[in-house]
């Protein structure tokens, strides 16, 4: 099975005749590699969420600046002159949030999956080590 727990247990089986400390170190190294594979892309989701939020905010500020420049250049106190810039500000804010919210939600979901997988790997490795210790105690 390609599951991280199975890979760690397979590593333990391969080195079952080694001293417990060395076997444990090898299993731990394998666990770190397996969990690392799961974690490698997750930080990007958080980065995308943060960057998109900031880009939306930047668009808001740029749209508002555009509105006030248009108002100043027109010399008119007509609120309709502000409409284009305000619309731009709202569209960029919405676009940023439309990307940021799902990215942040996915980041949290994947982080929880990785945390649960890590816990299962630790339990499986500990149970395996205990099994071998009991077995050797019976021999």
């Amino acid at each position: 099975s390609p599951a991280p727990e199975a890979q760690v247990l397979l590593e333990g089986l391969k080195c079952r005749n080694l001293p417990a400390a060395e076997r444990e170190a090898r299993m731990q190294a394998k666990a770190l590699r397996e969990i690392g594979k799961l974690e490698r892309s997750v930080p990007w989701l958080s980065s995308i969420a943060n960057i998109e939020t900031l880009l939306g905010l930047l668009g808001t500020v740029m749209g508002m600046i555009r509105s006030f420049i248009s108002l100043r250049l027109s010399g008119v106190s007509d609120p309709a002159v502000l409409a284009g810039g305000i619309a731009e500000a709202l569209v960029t804010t919405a676009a940023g949030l439309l990307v940021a919210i799902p990215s942040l939600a996915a980041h949290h979901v994947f982080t929880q999956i990785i945390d649960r997988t890590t816990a299962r790997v630790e339990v499986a490795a500990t149970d395996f080590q205990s099994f071998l210790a009991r077995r050797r105690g019976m021999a």
Side-chain angles (χ1 to χ4, degrees):
S1 168
E5 305 95 296
Q7 294 303 308
V8 171
L9 291 176
L10 180 60
E11 185 67 27
L13 283 172
K14 288 178 182 176
C15 57
R16 66 185 171 276
N17 295 322
L18 296 175
E22 187 175 344
R23 183 177 57 248
E24 184 177 351
R26 287 188 183 190
M27 290 175 70
Q28 188 173 32
K30 183 67 169 181
L32 290 173
R33 286 191 301 275
E34 291 297 316
I35 297 302
K37 289 178 191 176
L38 295 176
E39 292 176 331
R40 75 174 161 249
S41 298
V42 174
W44 283 104
L45 292 170
S46 177
S47 297
I48 289 168
N50 289 323
I51 290 167
E52 283 302 317
T53 302
L54 294 173
L55 286 174
L57 180 60
L58 177 63
T60 301
V61 171
M62 297 299 290
M64 296 307 287
I65 289 170
R66 182 172 164 240
S67 294
F68 287 110
I69 288 174
S70 296
L71 184 63
R72 184 181 55 143
L73 293 176
S74 71
V76 183
S77 58
D78 181 13
V81 174
L82 296 174
I86 292 173
E88 177 184 324
L90 293 173
V91 166
T92 58
T93 300
L97 291 173
L98 283 171
V99 173
I101 291 168
S103 296
L104 191 56
H107 176 267
H108 287 295
V109 167
F110 288 126
T111 298
Q112 290 299 313
I113 290 169
I114 290 168
D115 289 347
R116 285 193 300 271
T117 301
T118 301
R120 285 194 315 269
V121 167
E122 290 172 359
V123 168
T126 301
D127 288 349
F128 181 76
Q129 293 282 54
S130 296
F131 170 77
L132 288 181
R134 283 192 311 271
R135 206 167 146 222
R136 288 207 169 111
M138 289 189 271

